[in-house]
Amino acid sequence: MPGEIEYTALDQIALDPLNPRLGRAAHAERLDQDQIYERMKDWSLEELATSFLESGFWPHEAVLCVVEPIRGQDRLVVVEGNRRIAALQRLQKAYAGEEASRKWQELITGVPRPDALFQRVPYIRYQSRAEVDAFLGFRHVTGIKEWAPPEKAQFIAKLIDENGLSYRQVMRKIGSKIDTVERNYIAYSILEQMEETEGLETQEVENRFSVLFLSLRSKSVQRFLGIEEKFGIDPKKVKPPVDGNHVEQLKEYSKWLFGDAETTPVVQDSREVDKFARVLASAEGLDYLRGVRRPSLDKAFVIAGGDQEAVLDLISTAAYNLQEALSSIHLYKNDEKLIAISKRMLANAEQIKKTLELQ
C-alpha cells in the first residue's frame, strides 16, 4: 500500500521509460532520460507550467512513484504524473536559460524563480507498479484522461500477460466491460503477431488501432481471420490469435484495412468497418478486393450485395407512397406539375420492369 505524501527535489525523480504514451516503439529503444524529455517537450506542457507558476504544485496532485533501476542505478521513477514532471523540468530549464522557445521565455517573464516548486515535489511511493495498476486503469483506460487506443490495449495486455489476470479481473480493476477487455486483448495480440509476420508493416496499424479493434466485433471478420474460437476462452489460450492456415488472410486483412508501401487502405475510416465486414462475408466481394489493384470499398460493398436492404427500403417506401396518393390523385388530373412527375415515375417503373424482367 502507498505511504504518506513525501517531498523531494525535481532532479531526484526520473521520467518513466515505460510510459504508455511514449509508444511501444520507444519502449524497445530503451530511451535515456534526455531522450524521453525531448519526446515529451511538446505534450502541451504550457498549461501545466502556467498552473504551477500561479498556484504551485498542489499536494493532492502528487505524482505516483516506484523505485526502479535506471541505467543501473535505483531511482524514484514516476509512473503516474509524467507530464507534470516534464512540465516542471522544462520550466526549470527555462529559468536556467536552457530553453530556446520564445513561448516558454515569455511564460517566466516577470515571474521570480519559484525555488520551492523545484525542491519540494509531492509524491507518493509505491512498492511496485502492480499497486498502481488499478488507478491507472480507471484514470487512463475508462477515465477522463484517456490514453490512445493502442496504449489502452497495451495496458490491458500487460495486466493479463505479466500479472496473470483474467478478463473479469481486469474488468474489475479498470472498470470496463468484459467483452471490451477481451476484444482489446485479442486486437493487441493480433498487432503483436503482425509485427512478427514477414512482409507486414505495423506503424499504420498502431496509428489506426481503433479500426482493428472495432473490426473484430464482426463475426465475418473473425471467420475470415480464423479467430472465432479465440473469443470466450481463457486469455492464456489466445496466442497466437491467427493460426498458420490463416496467415495469408491476415496479410490481406492488414493491406485492406491499413494499406502498405504501394497501396492506400480500402477502409479509410473507422465508421466503414461494418461495410468492410459485409464485403468479407461475400465471395463476390472478396474476389473483387483480390482481383483489383486499387479496389473501392463502396463498389465492393455493392458487389457484395450490401445495399440490398437500402434498395428494398426505397422501393417499398415508393410503393407505399404511390398507393397512398391513388386515393386522391383523381382530384388533380389536370395539374401540369403532377402530370410531369407522373410521366417520370412511369418511365422509372418501366425501367424497373425491364431490369427485373417482370411480365
Side-chain angles (χ1 to χ4, degrees), residues 45-56 87 91 104 107:
L45 304 178
E46 295 88 345
E47 291 184 4
L48 285 171
T50 301
S51 175
F52 290 146
L53 290 177
E54 292 179 352
S55 308
L91 198 56
W104 281 80
L107 196 65

Side-chain angles (χ1 to χ4, degrees), residues 3-242:
E4 301 292 328
I5 293 177
E6 302 177 63
Y7 295 85
T8 189
L10 178 61
D11 60 13
Q12 296 301 305
I13 299 180
L15 296 170
D16 186 8
L18 299 179
N19 182 353
R21 282 186 172 158
L22 290 172
R24 299 165 59 256
H27 298 168
E29 294 178 39
R30 300 179 180 273
L31 304 177
D32 62 29
Q33 289 294 295
D34 289 337
Q35 291 171 317
I36 296 172
Y37 169 77
E38 285 299 318
R39 296 203 179 192
M40 294 183 64
K41 277 175 63 176
D42 298 323
W43 286 14
S44 302
L45 304 178
E46 295 88 345
E47 291 184 4
L48 285 171
T50 301
S51 175
F52 290 146
L53 290 177
E54 292 179 352
S55 308
F57 200 137
W58 293 99
H60 68 268
E61 286 289 341
V63 297
L64 310 184
C65 298
V66 295
V67 175
E68 290 182 344
I70 298 288
R71 302 290 176 177
Q73 180 181 359
D74 282 349
R75 295 287 305 277
L76 203 59
V77 179
V78 56
V79 293
E80 169 55 22
N82 277 273
R83 285 183 64 244
R84 278 164 273 169
I85 296 303
L88 283 179
Q89 290 180 344
R90 193 162 188 187
L91 198 56
Q92 188 178 53
K93 290 179 182 294
Y95 277 106
E98 300 172 7
E99 176 57 65
S101 168
R102 179 180 299 177
K103 182 185 298 183
W104 281 80
Q105 288 299 324
E106 291 176 352
L107 196 65
I108 65 172
T109 299
V111 183
R113 176 188 169 91
D115 290 330
L117 191 61
F118 307 125
Q119 294 302 316
R120 286 181 55 78
V121 180
Y123 74 96
I124 299 175
R125 186 195 307 259
Y126 284 77
Q127 294 301 311
S128 69
R129 289 177 181 264
E131 292 183 4
V132 195
D133 283 343
F135 177 81
L136 293 178
F138 276 112
R139 186 174 179 86
H140 297 299
V141 178
T142 57
I144 59 173
K145 293 185 177 294
E146 291 190 19
W147 285 325
E151 296 160 5
K152 293 180 186 180
Q154 182 183 10
F155 181 75
I156 288 171
K158 169 182 173 291
L159 294 179
I160 293 171
D161 292 338
E162 297 182 16
N163 297 6
L165 301 188
S166 67
Y167 292 140
R168 182 171 295 277
Q169 288 171 320
V170 173
M171 177 270 290
R172 289 174 176 170
K173 185 176 283 287
I174 68 175
S176 186
K177 297 179 180 179
I178 290 181
D179 61 338
T180 300
V181 171
E182 178 184 52
R183 190 149 35 99
N184 264 296
Y185 182 69
I186 294 175
Y188 190 78
S189 298
I190 290 174
L191 171 58
E192 290 184 315
Q193 186 172 2
M194 285 178 170
E195 289 182 323
E196 298 171 359
T197 302
E198 185 178 354
L200 286 183
E201 295 289 336
T202 58
Q203 183 58 52
E204 191 61 22
V205 182
E206 189 163 351
N207 291 341
R208 303 177 66 212
F209 185 83
S210 59
V211 175
L212 168 58
F213 171 77
L214 290 172
S215 74
L216 297 186
R217 294 179 306 186
S218 167
K219 288 292 185 181
S220 60
V221 171
Q222 295 174 20
R223 284 193 291 270
F224 183 75
L225 294 175
I227 61 173
E228 281 184 287
E229 295 182 357
K230 299 297 182 176
F231 289 82
I233 64 173
D234 189 318
K236 295 183 180 66
K237 299 179 181 179
V238 165
K239 295 183 177 180
V242 180

